Amino acid sequence: MKQFSSFYGMIRSIQDFSTGGNEEMTGCYKIISVINSEGTQVNFVVSPTTYFLDHVMVQIGDMVTGFYDVNAPVPFIYPPQYQAIAMAKDTPNQNVKVDFFDSQLVSRDGQLKLNISIYTPILLPNNQAFTLNPSNRNLLVVYGPSTFSIPAQTPPYKIVVMC
């Protein structure tokens, strides 16, 4: 089961990443180096299946959050190199969380509860409608203000079901 974590910072560089030997895949993978305000750097391997929130194109200098599976194998190198599951460009008044949400729509870490309305768009990564109940799934949630309770409660702006 996936367990998500994130890293927030500024894009320092974007480079092509060779997957080794497969000519067809040349240029399809990227390494995005992100550095936070404390000087810590993380490299994200971005594949054709990495979901970019709102399908935005990122560039050097953008503030982003990269989401990855902490249980996935990671090479023992510095800076750490994670396979990016999703990337979100920083947008004012918008928060993004990727996590497993249970039957009550509470995140696995217990920090966020979703209050979905009939107006909340629930989508697949390809921007098509998801028509089932989003509970008990890995979700990317875009939201704004939330309560100060634990868990914080929010009506999400958008939900993407990470199938």
Side-chain angles (χ1 to χ4, degrees):
M1 184 170 248
K2 290 183 180 177
Q3 184 175 347
F4 298 99
S5 190
S6 63
F7 185 83
Y8 173 79
M10 183 176 61
I11 296 178
R12 178 181 231 174
S13 68
I14 302 173
Q15 301 172 353
D16 286 327
F17 178 70
S18 174
T19 57
N22 189 345
E23 188 81 21
E24 290 179 7
M25 297 307 287
T26 301
C28 294
Y29 288 78
K30 304 284 184 196
I31 288 278
I32 297 182
S33 294
V34 177
I35 189 165
N36 70 11
S37 61
E38 293 147 14
T40 304
Q41 181 176 329
V42 164
N43 290 336
F44 286 106
V45 176
V46 174
S47 73
T49 59
T50 301
Y51 177 73
F52 278 78
L53 179 59
D54 297 328
H55 304 285
V56 297
M57 188 175 303
V58 295
Q59 59 188 359
I60 294 170
D62 286 344
M63 299 301 289
V64 296
T65 303
F67 297 91
Y68 60 95
D69 180 1
V70 296
N71 294 325
V74 177
F76 194 64
I77 59 174
Y78 183 83
Q81 184 171 292
Y82 302 118
Q83 177 70 41
I85 293 171
M87 300 284 290
K89 186 175 175 179
D90 195 22
T91 303
N93 305 315
Q94 175 177 288
N95 302 300
V96 180
K97 183 173 187 72
V98 177
D99 207 346
F100 178 84
F101 285 80
D102 66 16
S103 61
Q104 301 300 308
L105 293 171
V106 175
S107 61
R108 176 177 286 139
D109 64 7
Q111 296 299 307
L112 188 65
K113 179 176 182 355
L114 306 179
N115 296 324
I116 297 175
S117 80
I118 59 170
Y119 302 107
T120 304
I122 304 173
L123 307 170
L124 293 167
N126 63 8
N127 233 24
Q128 299 304 301
F130 182 80
T131 56
L132 300 176
N133 187 332
S135 64
N136 292 313
R137 297 178 188 271
N138 294 322
L139 306 176
L140 181 149
V141 179
V142 181
Y143 64 100
S146 62
T147 64
F148 289 108
S149 62
I150 296 182
Q153 296 188 38
T154 187
Y157 295 155
K158 174 170 45 174
I159 296 172
V160 178
V161 179
M162 304 300 287
C163 295

